[in-house]
Amino acid sequence: MDDCIFCMIANKEIDSNIVYEDDKIMVFHDAGPCAPVHVLMIPKKHIASTDDLTEEDQELMGYMMCKIKDIAKTMELDNGYRVVINCGEDGQQTVKHLHIHIIGKRKLTWPPG
Ligand code: AMP
Ligand code: ZN
């Protein structure tokens, strides 16, 4: 999708620090990390948010969920980590291309603000 920064990252039109990539997804370091490890997993397909998921995305989303543990292993998140998807205004979603935050390597507080 034009004007979508994460589509541009997926298409390698702008640089990112890639951790993992295959034909369906990309994982790259967050530009403003909130913990020693903070990576983002995106589908290469443009999906704006969890509100925009359809039945046809079930397999892709299942695939992404099952990849999280592999990324956690790659990032050596042996002591646990947090998985976050922000949606919409109240969820403070700033980039309108669905992404999964994978955050760790420090003791995280709960609940989030
Ligand atoms: P969210 O608030 O859930 O929409 O998260 C968007 C995240 O994308 C934030 O944590 C940003 O730091 C991150 N971000 C924005 N632009 C880039 C970029 N070009 N490369 C890497 N991370 C980015
Ligand atoms: Zn996009």
Side-chain angles (χ1 to χ4, degrees):
M1 192 197 185
D2 290 348
D3 287 351
C4 172
I5 193 162
F6 285 178
C7 280
M8 290 181 204
I9 285 177
N11 295 330
K12 305 213 172 109
E13 290 159 12
I14 61 169
D15 284 339
S16 66
N17 192 347
I18 298 169
V19 170
Y20 175 82
E21 179 181 12
D22 62 28
D23 57 326
K24 297 181 200 56
I25 67 170
M26 189 181 271
V27 181
F28 52 93
H29 287 274
D30 193 294
C34 69
V37 170
H38 185 173
V39 298
L40 302 175
M41 179 186 289
I42 62 167
K44 288 191 168 176
K45 172 189 174 184
H46 181 85
I47 302 169
S49 77
T50 50
D51 264 350
D52 299 280
L53 289 166
T54 67
E55 221 166 278
E56 81 170 31
D57 300 316
Q58 279 187 20
E59 194 177 323
L60 174 61
M61 291 308 293
Y63 180 78
M64 290 174 72
M65 283 294 139
C66 293
K67 272 281 173 205
I68 290 170
K69 67 175 191 307
D70 299 338
I71 302 303
K73 198 161 192 182
T74 301
M75 302 309 294
E76 300 181 334
L77 297 173
D78 311 318
N79 204 37
Y81 53 91
R82 184 166 293 160
V83 176
V84 174
I85 303 178
N86 295 323
C87 180
E89 199 179 328
D90 282 359
Q92 299 256 28
Q93 182 184 6
T94 57
V95 178
K96 309 299 191 257
H97 180 127
L98 193 154
H99 50 283
I100 301 174
H101 297 256
I102 303 168
I103 302 163
K105 278 280 182 214
R106 73 168 167 83
K107 195 85 174 173
L108 299 161
T109 56
W110 189 262

